[in-house]
Amino acid sequence: FEVYQLASYRRIDAEMTESPINVDCIEVASEQGLRAIFRVYQAFGLSMDVTLIVPSQRLVEVALELGYRAVQNARGATPEAVLAAVECA
């Protein structure tokens, strides 16, 4: 795996002036983060086919409502849960 970190918000959405790099999978820990990533993807017209790793069923439902098509529930936010979900994605 190659892992890249993109800070998408810190209580204030990060301002992005360039399209983010092509990614296969994004780990999102909160609804605020999910909505921030959504706004970036919308602003740059990026594909909603990117795989999202989220920590709960509630965030699965929010992601699907936003239009994401590939959402994996990690069933927790621990590093072990997230890694297991990435390996299954």
Side-chain angles (χ1 to χ4, degrees):
F1 291 99
E2 270 191 74
V3 177
Y4 297 93
Q5 183 175 2
L6 170 66
S8 61
Y9 82 101
R10 290 185 185 172
R11 299 283 179 202
I12 299 172
D13 290 353
E15 291 189 32
M16 308 234 5
T17 57
E18 296 180 22
S19 178
I21 58 173
N22 245 351
V23 296
D24 298 317
C25 181
I26 300 173
E27 186 266 335
V28 181
S30 70
E31 184 172 344
Q32 288 174 316
L34 175 60
R35 292 186 182 281
I37 292 294
F38 174 75
R39 286 189 292 277
V40 169
Y41 268 64
Q42 290 292 295
F44 289 101
L46 301 173
S47 171
M48 301 299 278
D49 289 329
V50 64
T51 299
L52 296 182
I53 306 294
V54 298
S56 68
Q57 185 60 36
R58 183 181 67 79
L59 284 183
V60 168
E61 293 167 11
V62 172
L64 293 173
E65 287 174 10
L66 290 173
Y68 288 98
R69 295 184 267 286
V71 186
Q72 179 80 24
N73 185 350
R75 293 175 179 30
T78 65
E80 296 81 12
V82 172
L83 182 57
V86 168
E87 289 173 345
C88 291

